[in-house]
Amino acid sequence: MTTAAQQVVLSFAVAGLTGYLMSQIASHTANAEADANPLNAVVAGYSDTFFLSACLTTAGVALSLLLRKPQQQEEEGTVGGDS
């Protein structure tokens, strides 16, 4: 089940990043001048997408460092009853 869930989440992530890339390219193309090189809009779109990926990765690393599993403390004293 874990592997299947990972594959589903991965496919949604790829689809989301692709949608974001296409919207950024369209946005940069619409904001460009009429005689501007369309390749510049594509490069800017990829730049925005990689920046978003880097931000998400940084946030994930920060959360993984902050949300560590607490260490279990050994109980002192007797195990089975009151003394």
Side-chain angles (χ1 to χ4, degrees):
M1 287 298 284
T2 303
T3 305
Q6 286 175 345
Q7 290 178 353
V8 169
V9 169
L10 179 65
S11 66
F12 280 122
V14 169
L17 284 174
T18 303
Y20 181 75
L21 172 65
M22 291 296 121
S23 70
Q24 289 302 106
I25 291 173
S27 173
H28 287 295
T29 303
N31 294 337
E33 298 175 4
D35 60 346
N37 187 355
L39 186 59
N40 290 337
V42 174
V43 170
Y46 273 99
S47 174
D48 294 343
T49 305
F50 279 110
F51 181 71
L52 176 64
S53 297
C55 289
L56 291 173
T57 301
T58 303
V61 168
L63 283 175
S64 72
L65 294 175
L66 293 175
L67 299 176
R68 290 191 176 181
K69 188 175 183 180
Q71 295 180 358
Q72 295 180 353
Q73 297 179 357
E74 295 181 21
E75 294 183 20
E76 295 180 16
T78 59
V79 177
D82 296 321
S83 297

